[in-house]
Amino acid sequence: MATSYISEHSAEYYLVPALKEILQEQYRHVAPVFPWITRELSKISRLLHKDDQFHVLVMFPRRPKLHDQKSCEIYVTINQELEAFNKAGESNGVPVIAGCPRAVDIWDLSNCQNYAWLDLTRNIYHEYLNPISELEENGCLLEKEEILALVRNSAIFNLVSFKGFFLYAKETQPYRMYGSQYKPVYFLIKAH
């Protein structure tokens, strides 16, 4: 059984700047957020951003998993919660991807420059554990240009319509006291 040496939250520290850098090649204003109804979606936020229009890209951080300490093969998991969230995204014009650092230990992670970006709409994840090398061989990983195209072809929101999507997508996740086990990062990308 494969397991990981880090949490999704640790993976997020590396994935967010890497994805933001990709998006800022084409878009000037890229804001990764973890929205709260009482903060990013609050009355004051709606007033501050009342005329803003933006695309939304959702990214689920995934932790790299290994079978053993000698293995260089990295595995990524895609589970039913991510698939359900992706369906909510698809029905609202919001691309949902997963990201995984291609690093085999913490020190490799500390200098990581290589990430696997997975488009969850590709319905190719038939196994719980997916070897990244196999996904790459099968053309299942997203390149930078494909990520930018997903954003370019996505729906445009304002803060009110984004709140509607956020609440709808949240309903697809199982109820837990502190919210879903898997926490996505929402990239708000100001439309030109």
Side-chain angles (χ1 to χ4, degrees):
M1 180 69 169
T3 191
S4 188
Y5 55 90
I6 60 168
S7 68
E8 271 94 8
H9 196 51
S10 292
E12 183 180 320
Y13 288 137
Y14 298 90
L15 293 162
V16 168
L19 186 53
K20 186 176 184 218
E21 185 178 316
I22 289 170
L23 296 170
Q24 284 185 315
E25 287 187 18
Q26 189 165 355
Y27 299 95
R28 183 173 176 202
H29 299 288
V30 177
V33 297
F34 182 77
W36 282 25
I37 296 293
T38 58
R39 300 294 184 269
E40 289 82 358
L41 301 171
S42 68
K43 185 176 180 180
I44 186 69
S45 190
R46 288 193 307 273
L47 287 170
L48 289 169
H49 305 101
K50 67 180 178 195
D51 297 324
D52 293 346
Q53 296 197 328
F54 51 89
H55 298 275
V56 176
L57 173 68
V58 176
M59 188 270 298
F60 279 92
R62 308 309 293 154
R63 52 197 170 117
K65 294 186 174 186
L66 306 169
H67 269 294
D68 60 56
Q69 65 187 31
K70 295 175 187 158
S71 174
C72 289
E73 180 68 66
I74 296 171
Y75 294 82
V76 63
T77 58
I78 304 300
N79 54 32
Q80 292 176 342
E81 288 181 37
L82 271 63
E83 290 174 3
F85 196 101
N86 178 58
K87 287 181 183 170
E90 278 187 293
S91 67
N92 285 271
V94 175
V96 179
I97 68 174
C100 181
R102 296 178 84 167
V104 295
D105 62 29
I106 289 176
W107 311 121
D108 193 22
L109 181 66
S110 72
N111 296 306
C112 190
Q113 297 294 316
N114 196 358
Y115 302 92
W117 305 108
L118 297 85
D119 181 355
L120 297 180
T121 62
R122 291 189 178 171
N123 261 346
I124 44 143
Y125 315 104
H126 304 295
E127 303 294 326
Y128 178 71
L129 283 172
N130 297 277
I132 289 179
S133 63
E134 188 176 305
L135 294 174
E136 187 172 39
E137 284 174 23
N138 294 331
C140 300
L141 300 183
L142 290 165
E143 298 293 329
K144 174 176 51 176
E145 296 77 22
E146 293 171 300
I147 293 170
L148 292 169
L150 286 173
V151 172
R152 191 172 40 254
N153 298 321
S154 68
I156 294 179
F157 290 84
N158 60 29
L159 216 51
V160 172
S161 59
F162 173 61
K163 181 179 179 180
F165 165 70
F166 174 76
L167 293 172
Y168 173 71
K170 190 175 174 180
E171 289 297 314
T172 68
Q173 302 300 290
Y175 175 77
R176 291 187 176 92
M177 183 180 293
Y178 298 106
S180 175
Q181 180 177 353
Y182 304 105
K183 311 246 188 275
V185 178
Y186 294 78
F187 287 79
L188 308 185
I189 303 144
K190 196 168 186 183
H192 296 290

